[in-house]
PDB file of all heavy atoms in Angstrom:
ATOM      1  N   GLY A 350     147.428  19.293  83.435  1.00 93.00           N
ATOM      2  CA  GLY A 350     148.238  20.232  84.206  1.00 93.00           C
ATOM      3  C   GLY A 350     149.663  19.806  84.456  1.00 93.00           C
ATOM      4  O   GLY A 350     150.459  20.596  84.973  1.00 93.00           O
ATOM      5  N   ALA A 351     150.036  18.579  84.108  1.00 95.00           N
ATOM      6  CA  ALA A 351     151.399  18.118  84.368  1.00 95.00           C
ATOM      7  C   ALA A 351     152.363  18.748  83.366  1.00 95.00           C
ATOM      8  O   ALA A 351     152.092  18.768  82.165  1.00 95.00           O
ATOM      9  CB  ALA A 351     151.483  16.597  84.278  1.00 95.00           C
ATOM     10  N   PRO A 352     153.522  19.253  83.821  1.00 94.00           N
ATOM     11  CA  PRO A 352     154.493  19.837  82.896  1.00 94.00           C
ATOM     12  C   PRO A 352     155.129  18.769  82.019  1.00 94.00           C
ATOM     13  O   PRO A 352     155.201  17.589  82.393  1.00 94.00           O
ATOM     14  CB  PRO A 352     155.523  20.487  83.826  1.00 94.00           C
ATOM     15  CG  PRO A 352     155.395  19.741  85.113  1.00 94.00           C
ATOM     16  CD  PRO A 352     153.960  19.340  85.228  1.00 94.00           C
ATOM     17  N   LEU A 353     155.606  19.188  80.855  1.00 95.00           N
ATOM     18  CA  LEU A 353     156.179  18.253  79.890  1.00 95.00           C
ATOM     19  C   LEU A 353     157.330  17.433  80.467  1.00 95.00           C
ATOM     20  O   LEU A 353     157.375  16.214  80.255  1.00 95.00           O
ATOM     21  CB  LEU A 353     156.618  19.010  78.635  1.00 95.00           C
ATOM     22  CG  LEU A 353     157.294  18.162  77.545  1.00 95.00           C
ATOM     23  CD1 LEU A 353     156.376  17.043  77.073  1.00 95.00           C
ATOM     24  CD2 LEU A 353     157.718  19.042  76.375  1.00 95.00           C
ATOM     25  N   PRO A 354     158.302  18.026  81.200  1.00 95.00           N
ATOM     26  CA  PRO A 354     159.392  17.192  81.733  1.00 95.00           C
ATOM     27  C   PRO A 354     158.896  16.065  82.637  1.00 95.00           C
ATOM     28  O   PRO A 354     159.469  14.968  82.632  1.00 95.00           O
ATOM     29  CB  PRO A 354     160.256  18.201  82.503  1.00 95.00           C
ATOM     30  CG  PRO A 354     159.983  19.513  81.843  1.00 95.00           C
ATOM     31  CD  PRO A 354     158.534  19.461  81.470  1.00 95.00           C
ATOM     32  N   LEU A 355     157.835  16.322  83.396  1.00 96.00           N
ATOM     33  CA  LEU A 355     157.302  15.281  84.276  1.00 96.00           C
ATOM     34  C   LEU A 355     156.664  14.169  83.449  1.00 96.00           C
ATOM     35  O   LEU A 355     156.836  12.975  83.748  1.00 96.00           O
ATOM     36  CB  LEU A 355     156.287  15.889  85.241  1.00 96.00           C
ATOM     37  CG  LEU A 355     155.745  14.967  86.340  1.00 96.00           C
ATOM     38  CD1 LEU A 355     156.881  14.489  87.237  1.00 96.00           C
ATOM     39  CD2 LEU A 355     154.689  15.684  87.161  1.00 96.00           C
ATOM     40  N   ARG A 356     155.940  14.522  82.388  1.00 96.00           N
ATOM     41  CA  ARG A 356     155.358  13.505  81.509  1.00 96.00           C
ATOM     42  C   ARG A 356     156.468  12.704  80.817  1.00 96.00           C
ATOM     43  O   ARG A 356     156.395  11.477  80.703  1.00 96.00           O
ATOM     44  CB  ARG A 356     154.472  14.168  80.460  1.00 96.00           C
ATOM     45  CG  ARG A 356     153.256  14.894  81.019  1.00 96.00           C
ATOM     46  CD  ARG A 356     152.374  15.381  79.884  1.00 96.00           C
ATOM     47  NE  ARG A 356     151.304  16.247  80.356  1.00 96.00           N
ATOM     48  CZ  ARG A 356     150.298  16.640  79.616  1.00 96.00           C
ATOM     49  NH1 ARG A 356     150.230  16.252  78.355  1.00 96.00           N
ATOM     50  NH2 ARG A 356     149.363  17.433  80.104  1.00 96.00           N
ATOM     51  N   ARG A 357     157.477  13.415  80.354  1.00 97.00           N
ATOM     52  CA  ARG A 357     158.610  12.753  79.686  1.00 97.00           C
ATOM     53  C   ARG A 357     159.269  11.726  80.599  1.00 97.00           C
ATOM     54  O   ARG A 357     159.543  10.589  80.190  1.00 97.00           O
ATOM     55  CB  ARG A 357     159.622  13.818  79.281  1.00 97.00           C
ATOM     56  CG  ARG A 357     160.927  13.294  78.701  1.00 97.00           C
ATOM     57  CD  ARG A 357     162.000  14.371  78.827  1.00 97.00           C
ATOM     58  NE  ARG A 357     162.359  14.616  80.206  1.00 97.00           N
ATOM     59  CZ  ARG A 357     162.890  15.764  80.653  1.00 97.00           C
ATOM     60  NH1 ARG A 357     163.084  16.772  79.816  1.00 97.00           N
ATOM     61  NH2 ARG A 357     163.196  15.886  81.926  1.00 97.00           N
ATOM     62  N   ASP A 358     159.521  12.114  81.830  1.00 97.00           N
ATOM     63  CA  ASP A 358     160.227  11.225  82.750  1.00 97.00           C
ATOM     64  C   ASP A 358     159.383  10.004  83.103  1.00 97.00           C
ATOM     65  O   ASP A 358     159.912   8.895  83.250  1.00 97.00           O
ATOM     66  CB  ASP A 358     160.628  11.975  84.011  1.00 97.00           C
ATOM     67  CG  ASP A 358     161.691  13.032  83.745  1.00 97.00           C
ATOM     68  OD1 ASP A 358     162.300  12.985  82.658  1.00 97.00           O
ATOM     69  OD2 ASP A 358     161.899  13.899  84.602  1.00 97.00           O
ATOM     70  N   HIS A 359     158.066  10.182  83.234  1.00 97.00           N
ATOM     71  CA  HIS A 359     157.221   9.021  83.505  1.00 97.00           C
ATOM     72  C   HIS A 359     157.133   8.107  82.280  1.00 97.00           C
ATOM     73  O   HIS A 359     157.056   6.874  82.435  1.00 97.00           O
ATOM     74  CB  HIS A 359     155.824   9.471  83.935  1.00 97.00           C
ATOM     75  CG  HIS A 359     155.733   9.815  85.392  1.00 97.00           C
ATOM     76  ND1 HIS A 359     156.107  11.046  85.884  1.00 97.00           N
ATOM     77  CD2 HIS A 359     155.351   9.081  86.469  1.00 97.00           C
ATOM     78  CE1 HIS A 359     155.931  11.059  87.192  1.00 97.00           C
ATOM     79  NE2 HIS A 359     155.482   9.885  87.575  1.00 97.00           N
ATOM     80  N   LEU A 360     157.161   8.678  81.095  1.00 97.00           N
ATOM     81  CA  LEU A 360     157.235   7.840  79.898  1.00 97.00           C
ATOM     82  C   LEU A 360     158.498   6.991  79.910  1.00 97.00           C
ATOM     83  O   LEU A 360     158.460   5.784  79.655  1.00 97.00           O
ATOM     84  CB  LEU A 360     157.215   8.720  78.643  1.00 97.00           C
ATOM     85  CG  LEU A 360     155.875   8.982  77.959  1.00 97.00           C
ATOM     86  CD1 LEU A 360     156.068   9.904  76.776  1.00 97.00           C
ATOM     87  CD2 LEU A 360     155.221   7.676  77.513  1.00 97.00           C
ATOM     88  N   ASN A 361     159.616   7.618  80.223  1.00 97.00           N
ATOM     89  CA  ASN A 361     160.879   6.887  80.207  1.00 97.00           C
ATOM     90  C   ASN A 361     160.987   5.878  81.340  1.00 97.00           C
ATOM     91  O   ASN A 361     161.687   4.868  81.205  1.00 97.00           O
ATOM     92  CB  ASN A 361     162.058   7.860  80.239  1.00 97.00           C
ATOM     93  CG  ASN A 361     162.382   8.393  78.855  1.00 97.00           C
ATOM     94  OD1 ASN A 361     162.236   7.675  77.867  1.00 97.00           O
ATOM     95  ND2 ASN A 361     162.799   9.646  78.777  1.00 97.00           N
ATOM     96  N   ASP A 362     160.327   6.132  82.462  1.00 97.00           N
ATOM     97  CA  ASP A 362     160.281   5.103  83.499  1.00 97.00           C
ATOM     98  C   ASP A 362     159.752   3.804  82.922  1.00 97.00           C
ATOM     99  O   ASP A 362     160.231   2.711  83.268  1.00 97.00           O
ATOM    100  CB  ASP A 362     159.376   5.543  84.664  1.00 97.00           C
ATOM    101  CG  ASP A 362     159.963   6.680  85.471  1.00 97.00           C
ATOM    102  OD1 ASP A 362     161.191   6.883  85.406  1.00 97.00           O
ATOM    103  OD2 ASP A 362     159.196   7.371  86.163  1.00 97.00           O
ATOM    104  N   TYR A 363     158.756   3.913  82.042  1.00 98.00           N
ATOM    105  CA  TYR A 363     158.152   2.733  81.406  1.00 98.00           C
ATOM    106  C   TYR A 363     158.972   2.257  80.212  1.00 98.00           C
ATOM    107  O   TYR A 363     159.331   1.075  80.117  1.00 98.00           O
ATOM    108  CB  TYR A 363     156.733   3.091  80.976  1.00 98.00           C
ATOM    109  CG  TYR A 363     155.988   2.017  80.213  1.00 98.00           C
ATOM    110  CD1 TYR A 363     155.815   0.745  80.743  1.00 98.00           C
ATOM    111  CD2 TYR A 363     155.430   2.292  78.965  1.00 98.00           C
ATOM    112  CE1 TYR A 363     155.115  -0.233  80.047  1.00 98.00           C
ATOM    113  CE2 TYR A 363     154.723   1.329  78.260  1.00 98.00           C
ATOM    114  CZ  TYR A 363     154.571   0.064  78.807  1.00 98.00           C
ATOM    115  OH  TYR A 363     153.870  -0.897  78.115  1.00 98.00           O
ATOM    116  N   LEU A 364     159.313   3.173  79.322  1.00 98.00           N
ATOM    117  CA  LEU A 364     159.992   2.786  78.081  1.00 98.00           C
ATOM    118  C   LEU A 364     161.376   2.191  78.328  1.00 98.00           C
ATOM    119  O   LEU A 364     161.846   1.347  77.557  1.00 98.00           O
ATOM    120  CB  LEU A 364     160.120   4.008  77.167  1.00 98.00           C
ATOM    121  CG  LEU A 364     158.813   4.610  76.645  1.00 98.00           C
ATOM    122  CD1 LEU A 364     159.088   5.909  75.907  1.00 98.00           C
ATOM    123  CD2 LEU A 364     158.079   3.629  75.746  1.00 98.00           C
ATOM    124  N   GLN A 365     162.030   2.598  79.387  1.00 98.00           N
ATOM    125  CA  GLN A 365     163.406   2.170  79.626  1.00 98.00           C
ATOM    126  C   GLN A 365     163.532   1.175  80.779  1.00 98.00           C
ATOM    127  O   GLN A 365     164.638   0.874  81.212  1.00 98.00           O
ATOM    128  CB  GLN A 365     164.278   3.398  79.937  1.00 98.00           C
ATOM    129  CG  GLN A 365     164.228   4.506  78.899  1.00 98.00           C
ATOM    130  CD  GLN A 365     164.807   4.078  77.566  1.00 98.00           C
ATOM    131  OE1 GLN A 365     165.706   3.245  77.503  1.00 98.00           O
ATOM    132  NE2 GLN A 365     164.301   4.666  76.491  1.00 98.00           N
ATOM    133  N   HIS A 366     162.429   0.640  81.294  1.00 98.00           N
ATOM    134  CA  HIS A 366     162.492  -0.077  82.568  1.00 98.00           C
ATOM    135  C   HIS A 366     163.404  -1.303  82.537  1.00 98.00           C
ATOM    136  O   HIS A 366     164.087  -1.593  83.515  1.00 98.00           O
ATOM    137  CB  HIS A 366     161.083  -0.458  83.038  1.00 98.00           C
ATOM    138  CG  HIS A 366     160.454  -1.592  82.285  1.00 98.00           C
ATOM    139  ND1 HIS A 366     159.656  -1.399  81.177  1.00 98.00           N
ATOM    140  CD2 HIS A 366     160.495  -2.935  82.490  1.00 98.00           C
ATOM    141  CE1 HIS A 366     159.232  -2.571  80.747  1.00 98.00           C
ATOM    142  NE2 HIS A 366     159.723  -3.522  81.504  1.00 98.00           N
ATOM    143  N   GLU A 367     163.448  -2.021  81.418  1.00 97.00           N
ATOM    144  CA  GLU A 367     164.269  -3.233  81.381  1.00 97.00           C
ATOM    145  C   GLU A 367     165.759  -2.894  81.408  1.00 97.00           C
ATOM    146  O   GLU A 367     166.534  -3.496  82.171  1.00 97.00           O
ATOM    147  CB  GLU A 367     163.933  -4.056  80.136  1.00 97.00           C
ATOM    148  CG  GLU A 367     164.602  -5.418  80.123  1.00 97.00           C
ATOM    149  CD  GLU A 367     164.125  -6.281  78.958  1.00 97.00           C
ATOM    150  OE1 GLU A 367     163.029  -6.021  78.413  1.00 97.00           O
ATOM    151  OE2 GLU A 367     164.858  -7.211  78.598  1.00 97.00           O
ATOM    152  N   LEU A 368     166.165  -1.915  80.613  1.00 97.00           N
ATOM    153  CA  LEU A 368     167.570  -1.500  80.614  1.00 97.00           C
ATOM    154  C   LEU A 368     167.926  -0.841  81.942  1.00 97.00           C
ATOM    155  O   LEU A 368     169.028  -1.047  82.480  1.00 97.00           O
ATOM    156  CB  LEU A 368     167.822  -0.536  79.459  1.00 97.00           C
ATOM    157  CG  LEU A 368     169.243   0.031  79.347  1.00 97.00           C
ATOM    158  CD1 LEU A 368     170.263  -1.087  79.181  1.00 97.00           C
ATOM    159  CD2 LEU A 368     169.336   1.012  78.190  1.00 97.00           C
TER     160      LEU A 368
END
Side-chain angles (χ1 to χ4, degrees):
L353 178 59
L355 187 61
R356 296 186 188 190
R357 174 201 68 204
D358 292 345
H359 277 83
L360 266 178
N361 277 326
D362 290 340
Y363 176 56
L364 295 173
Q365 306 295 330
H366 74 268
E367 188 173 339
L368 178 59

